[in-house]
Amino acid sequence: MKKKLAILGLTVVLLTTAGIAQAGSYAFNLNVGAFNGSAYTSWENDPTNNDLFVRVNMSNVGGGYTVDVRDNMMSHNTGYITSTAWVRSVGSNTAWHWSGSRNGSYQDRIQFSNDLLTPVKVNVYGIWENK
């Protein structure tokens, strides 16, 4: 009985560790240009293959402004870039995610955009996860 419990415990630890190892967490601190400007995080590999689960935790959007945010996805096989729908008017202390399925391996990056009428650069920072 003790042997079965030890094996079960080891299995749980290994599965948990594997799940943690697959997740990538990336900090961002970017300036989004004025008047419809954009900013991008760096490209990061999606460790899951065939699954899309990207979570963004926005800590701060400077000056009380809001920005639009979306995920850009680049296929390793074709180099073709597709994007999720924009999440509009995102402010400070906001979290959301995109999920779904896709075929093959990908890299992801997060794109931020200012409103056409925003007259200043807006600093945004937080953490995004790809798991």
Side-chain angles (χ1 to χ4, degrees):
M1 182 66 169
K2 287 183 181 181
K3 188 175 181 179
K4 285 182 182 179
L5 286 175
I7 291 171
L8 178 61
L10 181 59
T11 302
V12 169
V13 168
L14 289 174
L15 288 174
T16 303
T17 303
I20 291 170
Q22 286 187 349
S25 182
Y26 313 100
F28 61 88
N29 186 349
L30 303 167
N31 285 312
V32 183
F35 301 110
N36 205 34
S38 287
Y40 303 85
T41 65
S42 59
W43 288 103
E44 301 295 345
N45 285 323
D46 179 357
T48 61
N49 287 338
N50 300 322
D51 289 319
L52 169 65
F53 188 88
V54 176
R55 181 190 348 249
V56 176
N57 295 303
M58 185 82 82
S59 299
N60 187 62
V61 179
Y65 290 97
T66 62
V67 293
D68 300 333
V69 185
R70 70 179 175 181
D71 180 40
N72 299 151
M73 302 166 278
M74 180 171 53
S75 169
H76 281 207
N77 296 334
T78 65
Y80 187 70
I81 298 172
T82 57
S83 300
T84 61
W86 286 102
V87 177
R88 301 287 182 186
S89 301
V90 175
S92 298
N93 301 312
T94 306
W96 69 94
H97 74 275
W98 297 276
S99 60
S101 62
R102 54 192 177 184
N103 294 322
S105 61
Y106 284 80
Q107 288 184 311
D108 291 279
R109 72 178 178 187
I110 308 302
Q111 179 181 3
F112 301 89
S113 178
N114 252 340
D115 228 16
L116 182 61
L117 300 177
T118 303
V120 297
K121 291 181 184 176
V122 176
N123 178 251
V124 296
Y125 62 84
I127 294 176
W128 71 280
E129 297 175 294
N130 191 338
K131 59 182 186 175

